[in-house]
Amino acid sequence: MFKFPHKYPLKNGESITVDLLKSSDYKDVHDFLNRSAEEDRDYLKYDVRNVEYVKQRMEAIDQKARISIGARNKEGTLVGESTVY
């Protein structure tokens, strides 16, 4: 088991940093989700094009109703996200 944040090496020699997300990370989550292909977004439960809706969903972190983990590249860009309710 590791502690957050955790730097994780990739096979290509680069690394990502995995950390718990905060509700204030909603813009990063919105940007990440909107970089995905439109056909992939069709499988999501909610409309991720709406930043206010993403913000509301992320506020569930403060209410202890969800835990979200994000992966960031060396530039700090969110490149992966997972949530447990």
Side-chain angles (χ1 to χ4, degrees):
M1 180 171 235
F2 56 83
K3 296 180 182 182
F4 294 108
H6 178 74
K7 194 170 186 176
Y8 187 80
L10 303 176
K11 289 182 181 181
N12 67 0
E14 295 184 23
S15 64
I16 57 170
T17 300
V18 178
D19 201 0
L20 295 171
L21 293 175
K22 301 177 292 294
S23 60
S24 60
D25 291 318
Y26 73 92
K27 288 181 184 176
D28 292 341
V29 172
H30 177 259
D31 291 343
F32 165 70
L33 293 171
N34 280 281
R35 286 193 312 268
S36 61
E38 187 171 337
E39 57 270 11
D40 292 339
R41 290 193 304 263
D42 289 341
Y43 293 98
L44 298 175
K45 278 178 111 171
Y46 56 93
D47 183 7
V48 296
R49 294 172 294 179
N50 181 337
V51 69
E52 285 302 314
Y53 189 70
V54 173
K55 181 180 178 181
Q56 289 174 355
R57 300 287 293 191
M58 293 293 291
E59 287 172 353
I61 292 171
D62 297 335
Q63 300 161 2
K64 308 288 189 230
R66 81 186 267 170
I67 297 171
S68 293
I69 299 171
R72 297 181 184 273
N73 64 14
K74 65 182 176 185
E75 289 82 23
T77 302
L78 191 67
V79 294
E81 184 268 342
S82 182
T83 297
V84 176
Y85 290 90

